[in-house]
Amino acid sequence: MIDYFIGLSPIKQAIIATLFTWGMTAIGAALVFTTKKVNQKFMDGMLGFAGGVMIAASFWSLLSPSIEMAENGPFPSWFPATAGFLLGGLFLWLADAIIPHLHPGSSMKDAEGINPAGRRRSTLLVFAITLHNIPEGLAVGVAFGAVAAGMPSATIAAAIALAVGIGIQNLPEGTAVSMPLRRDGMSRRKSFFYGQLSGAVEPFSAVIGVLAVTTMQPLLPFALSFAAGAMIFVVVEEVIPGSQENGNKDLASICLMIGFAVMMILDVAFG
């Protein structure tokens, strides 16, 4: 598989990788066809696992390479990682404050963003997961862009490992959208459609990530850490609280550690 990827352009590499992550979101959403209710402990455990994957990916696949790439640059090696990381969090915070959305499991009165009252629950749920999938797509695109830019610490295997890790954690996200919609009375087909739709943004944001770092290589350390900051914001603001709000705190915490370990192994073994 790695040999196949090497012969492709970075944009094609990123698109194929994020089609996989989108497909994993669709698989999670497809659970709406097989069951009426997903076990809450299972969902909380999967969300915890997803949080662990995202935290590990943020460091091993994004922040650490950012610091390494900046060592021979014009700035202190810590500066691009710090600046990009904080800017990524700021970007998600602003988007979270502006875009109307509703976190899975929340009631309509808890909808966030500008003027969410006039929108349907299904639209707000999709907006929430779509908003949080943007940094994941960016991360994959930047990873493949770094390989194309010839950065020594960037490899095809590491970029693929990042895509696999993000794909794994996308499973519960698709379910987290489709199942609440089904409980609200929406048909299984429509619930699945909206659930998988939340992952559609990843190929587009991946292409943006590739173009940004291949056309402006000095931005690469900043772009890597920007994606990391955006992902950490998502984990802290949504994933971890969502995994623990139903009383399964210990299970979610253990699964988070397992997810971190799995992503760390993927990145270190293949990077």
Side-chain angles (χ1 to χ4, degrees):
M1 182 175 69
I2 293 178
D3 291 338
Y4 171 75
F5 265 82
I6 292 175
L8 300 175
S9 70
I11 289 181
K12 288 183 179 179
Q13 291 169 346
I15 289 175
I16 291 173
T18 47
L19 285 176
F20 163 74
T21 62
W22 181 8
M24 294 294 281
T25 305
I27 291 173
L31 288 179
V32 76
F33 291 114
T34 62
T35 181
K36 292 183 178 180
K37 184 178 181 180
V38 177
N39 183 276
Q40 191 60 54
K41 285 188 175 181
F42 172 78
M43 278 299 300
D44 291 344
M46 285 296 290
L47 282 174
F49 182 90
V53 168
M54 294 175 74
I55 293 171
S58 295
F59 176 75
W60 295 101
S61 299
L62 300 170
L63 280 175
S64 181
S66 172
I67 295 171
E68 290 181 28
M69 292 173 188
E71 287 179 351
N72 298 319
F75 302 105
S77 59
W78 55 265
F79 180 76
T82 304
F85 183 80
L86 294 177
L87 285 172
L90 178 63
F91 169 78
L92 255 292
W93 175 70
L94 290 174
D96 210 53
I98 294 171
I99 298 173
H101 62 282
L102 178 68
H103 298 303
S106 301
S107 61
M108 286 296 291
K109 66 181 178 63
D110 296 320
E112 301 175 15
I114 297 176
N115 193 26
R119 300 181 183 271
R120 295 193 301 177
R121 178 180 176 86
S122 59
T123 303
L124 293 173
L125 283 170
V126 173
F127 277 1
I129 302 300
T130 300
L131 175 64
H132 294 168
N133 279 348
I134 291 174
E136 297 168 10
L138 281 174
V140 174
V142 168
F144 282 104
V147 178
M151 296 299 176
S153 59
T155 66
I156 286 288
I160 293 174
L162 174 62
V164 170
I166 289 176
I168 292 172
Q169 66 91 33
N170 274 1
L171 269 169
E173 290 186 351
T175 307
V177 176
S178 63
M179 293 305 295
L181 294 178
R182 178 58 181 163
R183 287 197 295 268
D184 288 345
M186 187 175 287
S187 69
R188 294 181 190 274
R189 185 173 298 179
K190 283 189 175 181
S191 298
F192 166 76
F193 174 76
Y194 284 115
Q196 63 81 33
L197 187 63
S198 61
V201 70
E202 293 193 2
F204 297 99
S205 54
V207 170
I208 293 173
V210 171
L211 292 175
V213 300
T214 54
T215 58
M216 295 176 286
Q217 290 190 21
L219 290 179
L220 183 51
F222 293 93
L224 285 166
S225 55
F226 181 94
M231 287 177 65
I232 290 297
F233 183 92
V234 170
V235 173
V236 176
E237 196 265 347
E238 168 62 19
V239 177
I240 292 178
S243 70
Q244 300 193 352
E245 62 188 6
N246 297 294
N248 297 312
K249 294 184 178 181
D250 290 342
L251 174 65
S253 298
I254 292 171
C255 289
L256 184 146
M257 296 183 71
I258 293 172
F260 185 98
V262 168
M263 186 64 228
M264 180 175 63
I265 291 169
L266 282 174
D267 193 272
V268 175
F270 296 103

